[in-house]
Amino acid sequence: MVAPIILYGSPVLRKHSMELVEEDNVSEITKMLFDTLEKSEGIGLSGPQLSRLKRIFVIDTSPLLEDDITIERFKDVFINPLIIDRSTENEIYKEGCLSLPGIFEDVIRPKKILVRYHDMSFNIIEKELDGIKARIFQHEFDHLEGILFIDKINPLKLKLLYGKLNKIKKVAQKQHFFNTLT
Ligand code: CO
């Protein structure tokens, strides 16, 4: 099932998400995340972006493979994720976000991370991620803390985005209005 993606301006995106427990319907929310991600041709999507304040996100690098054959296909779900360690070496990458359509800006983040999370059966997985995998993981992890990538860009560049951001906010207000009606 495809769900509407919550846009920038909605207070939901600024909230802290809650841990998932085994009693939660993990397969339902995972399916909804993957279905919505696939339809919107994105590479990562988190619970709060579908109005579910739960610590879960999905990643699928498939849309990137068409343009860059060196990128590895990486598709997985991450439940109650943690970043245990970060490399001191950083990397710049132009990020975008399904909640901020049309905005792409350079963001500096650690190049490598050590992560721990639950898989769908609540097994604990620990692994090192680098490159695009580390990049998407960190972006999605931020969503669970109410942080957006525009919080991490150069303040002067952010000022230049005010017009675009206000347009997205107006759409988000309408979205919120219709959500409260249904
Ligand atoms: Co995002």
PDB file of all heavy atoms in Angstrom, residues 49 96-98 139-140 143, ligand 1:
ATOM      1  N   GLN A  49       8.072  10.031   7.816  1.00  0.00           N
ATOM      2  CA  GLN A  49       7.670  10.611   6.521  1.00  0.00           C
ATOM      3  C   GLN A  49       6.323  10.056   6.052  1.00  0.00           C
ATOM      4  O   GLN A  49       5.717  10.594   5.131  1.00  0.00           O
ATOM      5  CB  GLN A  49       8.737  10.352   5.457  1.00  0.00           C
ATOM      6  CG  GLN A  49      10.004  11.171   5.692  1.00  0.00           C
ATOM      7  CD  GLN A  49      11.077  10.809   4.687  1.00  0.00           C
ATOM      8  OE1 GLN A  49      11.746   9.795   4.829  1.00  0.00           O
ATOM      9  NE2 GLN A  49      11.219  11.632   3.671  1.00  0.00           N
ATOM     10  N   GLY A  96      19.033  14.871  -1.420  1.00  0.00           N
ATOM     11  CA  GLY A  96      17.662  15.303  -1.638  1.00  0.00           C
ATOM     12  C   GLY A  96      16.791  14.559  -0.655  1.00  0.00           C
ATOM     13  O   GLY A  96      17.300  13.729   0.106  1.00  0.00           O
ATOM     14  N   CYS A  97      15.491  14.844  -0.639  1.00  0.00           N
ATOM     15  CA  CYS A  97      14.607  14.191   0.322  1.00  0.00           C
ATOM     16  C   CYS A  97      13.191  14.197  -0.245  1.00  0.00           C
ATOM     17  O   CYS A  97      12.760  15.205  -0.792  1.00  0.00           O
ATOM     18  CB  CYS A  97      14.650  14.949   1.649  1.00  0.00           C
ATOM     19  SG  CYS A  97      13.610  14.238   2.925  1.00  0.00           S
ATOM     20  N   LEU A  98      12.488  13.079  -0.107  1.00  0.00           N
ATOM     21  CA  LEU A  98      11.126  13.005  -0.640  1.00  0.00           C
ATOM     22  C   LEU A  98      10.184  13.977   0.072  1.00  0.00           C
ATOM     23  O   LEU A  98       9.155  14.343  -0.477  1.00  0.00           O
ATOM     24  CB  LEU A  98      10.595  11.568  -0.533  1.00  0.00           C
ATOM     25  CG  LEU A  98      11.283  10.551  -1.452  1.00  0.00           C
ATOM     26  CD1 LEU A  98      10.828   9.139  -1.130  1.00  0.00           C
ATOM     27  CD2 LEU A  98      11.021  10.864  -2.925  1.00  0.00           C
ATOM     28  N   HIS A 139      21.182   9.947   6.635  1.00  0.00           N
ATOM     29  CA  HIS A 139      20.068  10.843   6.285  1.00  0.00           C
ATOM     30  C   HIS A 139      18.761  10.319   6.900  1.00  0.00           C
ATOM     31  O   HIS A 139      18.015  11.073   7.527  1.00  0.00           O
ATOM     32  CB  HIS A 139      19.962  10.941   4.755  1.00  0.00           C
ATOM     33  CG  HIS A 139      18.785  11.722   4.265  1.00  0.00           C
ATOM     34  ND1 HIS A 139      18.924  12.896   3.566  1.00  0.00           N
ATOM     35  CD2 HIS A 139      17.436  11.503   4.356  1.00  0.00           C
ATOM     36  CE1 HIS A 139      17.715  13.368   3.269  1.00  0.00           C
ATOM     37  NE2 HIS A 139      16.797  12.540   3.730  1.00  0.00           N
ATOM     38  N   GLU A 140      18.518   9.013   6.743  1.00  0.00           N
ATOM     39  CA  GLU A 140      17.274   8.427   7.259  1.00  0.00           C
ATOM     40  C   GLU A 140      17.271   8.395   8.784  1.00  0.00           C
ATOM     41  O   GLU A 140      16.241   8.631   9.410  1.00  0.00           O
ATOM     42  CB  GLU A 140      17.046   7.019   6.683  1.00  0.00           C
ATOM     43  CG  GLU A 140      16.929   6.935   5.172  1.00  0.00           C
ATOM     44  CD  GLU A 140      15.914   7.905   4.584  1.00  0.00           C
ATOM     45  OE1 GLU A 140      14.882   8.168   5.231  1.00  0.00           O
ATOM     46  OE2 GLU A 140      16.159   8.412   3.479  1.00  0.00           O
ATOM     47  N   HIS A 143      16.008  11.529  10.253  1.00  0.00           N
ATOM     48  CA  HIS A 143      14.542  11.679  10.246  1.00  0.00           C
ATOM     49  C   HIS A 143      13.933  11.178  11.554  1.00  0.00           C
ATOM     50  O   HIS A 143      12.957  11.741  12.041  1.00  0.00           O
ATOM     51  CB  HIS A 143      13.923  10.892   9.084  1.00  0.00           C
ATOM     52  CG  HIS A 143      13.908  11.631   7.777  1.00  0.00           C
ATOM     53  ND1 HIS A 143      13.229  12.812   7.599  1.00  0.00           N
ATOM     54  CD2 HIS A 143      14.480  11.351   6.585  1.00  0.00           C
ATOM     55  CE1 HIS A 143      13.381  13.222   6.345  1.00  0.00           C
ATOM     56  NE2 HIS A 143      14.149  12.357   5.707  1.00  0.00           N
TER      57      HIS A 143
HETATM   58 CO    CO B   1      14.709  12.437   3.713  1.00  0.00          CO
END
